[in-house]
Amino acid sequence: MNEQENRKQLGKRIKVRRAERDMNQGELAARIGMKQSQLSLVERGLLGLSVDQLRAIANALGCTGAYLLGEEKKAA
């Protein structure tokens, strides 16, 4: 998989997990200190994340970074 495809898969997993937690983009963005527009770009695979941002998103969504990266099958 190339970098763009990896970003798309990560964004999709973030979006699905966010929906499972009944959270909209604005709520998640506020929890992690990111603009909603940036989070939208992340979820569409158009913007990458720093390690700190990935960690913050995982914590806010109650899962691990490895889960969001597709390296674990269960969210927690």
Side-chain angles (χ1 to χ4, degrees):
M1 231 185 282
N2 65 32
E3 185 176 347
Q4 175 128 13
E5 188 59 32
N6 285 335
R7 280 196 307 253
K8 284 183 181 181
Q9 291 300 316
L10 172 61
K12 182 178 178 181
R13 284 189 288 274
I14 291 170
K15 184 176 182 176
V16 167
R17 183 66 179 165
R18 178 176 56 75
E20 290 172 351
R21 302 288 289 208
D22 257 349
M23 197 180 300
N24 65 40
Q25 280 183 344
E27 291 169 329
L28 177 56
R31 285 189 186 190
I32 62 171
M34 179 183 277
K35 292 180 181 177
Q36 183 273 328
S37 59
Q38 289 175 301
L39 181 58
S40 175
L41 291 172
V42 169
E43 288 188 355
R44 290 184 285 150
L46 301 174
L47 181 67
L49 293 171
S50 71
V51 172
D52 289 338
Q53 289 170 320
L54 177 63
R55 185 176 290 126
I57 291 170
N59 287 338
L61 295 177
C63 62
T64 65
Y67 173 77
L68 294 176
L69 291 170
E71 297 173 358
E72 291 179 353
K73 299 289 183 198
K74 293 185 179 180

